[in-house]
Amino acid sequence: MKQKQRRKTKRRISPKLWIVAIVIVSALLVVGDGNPQLRQTLEEMLQEIITGEPSREQHTGSVRVIDGDTLDLSGMRVRLYGIDAPEAAQTCQRNGREWACGTDAMKALEEEIGSLGVSCEEQDIDRYDRVVGICHTGSRDLNAWMVRSGWAVAYRQYGGEVYDGEEVVARVAQRGLWSSNFVMPWDWRRGGR
């Protein structure tokens, strides 16, 4: 006997839930960036109402920058999703001179974070057992900021086209790495130095 296939139906949000969603959006506007924990909770509630799925796991804590695309978040390694920054020991060429672009990328990320709190939304776990996430200081997406500032490139192999626009902006403006001759970080790690 042939089984009938179930048709996928669109999720309908009840009028009561729409009212709750509107109240949450209003609260988000009032809260702004003044209370990051409350904002995060409200955003998670809103996502669950709209999509019917809970938000991805969030990680927060004290932060230490390992390099331009890796953080230590309260003892947990977090690799920034969809970007690749030069390795700490990597150098680039600018105006005929070598410069420590890997170290500068790391310092730029440290300065951008400053004393602000960091939260990372888990996207995946990589083969080294690190959390791969999109990290924020307040409402600023640090992954996007690193690419837009030219301190990292879009890592299309793992993030698709998510940061392509930011890379175009950095390249055209010749920011960071794009003001020099450099080897893509993934090629540098493979020995293309």
Side-chain angles (χ1 to χ4, degrees):
M1 183 172 174
K2 192 175 180 181
Q3 289 185 350
K4 290 183 181 180
Q5 279 189 324
R6 290 185 70 175
R7 281 187 355 183
K8 291 186 178 181
T9 58
K10 290 185 178 179
R11 181 173 185 269
R12 288 206 161 142
I13 300 175
S14 73
K16 288 180 183 177
L17 281 179
W18 274 115
I19 291 169
V20 171
I22 291 168
V23 169
I24 291 172
V25 169
S26 301
L28 283 168
L29 292 172
V30 171
V31 169
D33 291 335
N35 187 332
Q37 285 111 350
L38 178 58
R39 182 177 184 84
Q40 179 180 336
T41 301
L42 290 169
E43 287 172 350
E44 290 170 2
M45 290 169 61
L46 183 62
Q47 179 176 341
E48 192 164 348
I49 288 170
I50 292 173
T51 65
E53 298 174 9
S55 63
R56 296 176 185 240
E57 189 169 349
Q58 296 281 330
H59 302 281
T60 59
S62 60
V63 68
R64 184 172 61 88
V65 175
I66 304 301
D67 61 27
D69 56 28
T70 310
L71 304 174
D72 182 295
L73 196 61
S74 295
M76 176 179 46
R77 289 288 164 109
V78 178
R79 175 72 160 79
L80 300 182
Y81 171 79
I83 75 169
D84 202 6
E87 297 300 312
Q90 187 171 344
T91 59
C92 301
Q93 294 287 322
R94 186 189 295 151
N95 300 327
R97 299 178 124 174
E98 195 171 274
W99 66 288
C101 57
T103 300
D104 285 357
M106 180 180 73
K107 287 179 182 176
L109 183 56
E110 285 175 335
E111 288 174 14
E112 183 61 20
I113 293 170
S115 62
L116 299 173
V118 173
S119 66
C120 298
E121 183 179 293
E122 186 176 312
Q123 303 295 306
D124 200 0
I125 302 291
D126 72 7
R127 63 183 176 189
Y128 303 109
D129 214 25
R130 298 177 296 191
V131 168
V132 179
I134 298 174
C135 298
H136 293 85
T137 55
S139 62
R140 180 171 295 222
D141 178 336
L142 290 170
N143 306 40
W145 182 85
M146 285 295 287
V147 176
R148 191 173 45 255
S149 300
W151 294 116
V153 294
Y155 206 178
R156 290 168 190 84
Q157 179 180 352
Y158 295 105
E161 299 173 0
V162 70
Y163 296 117
D164 279 0
E166 286 83 356
E167 185 176 292
V168 169
V169 168
R171 188 181 307 169
V172 168
Q174 295 187 332
R175 294 179 183 153
L177 299 172
W178 300 105
S179 68
S180 68
N181 294 319
F182 67 98
V183 174
M184 287 294 185
W186 52 82
D187 291 331
W188 191 88
R189 284 191 297 274
R190 281 192 230 128
R193 302 168 190 185

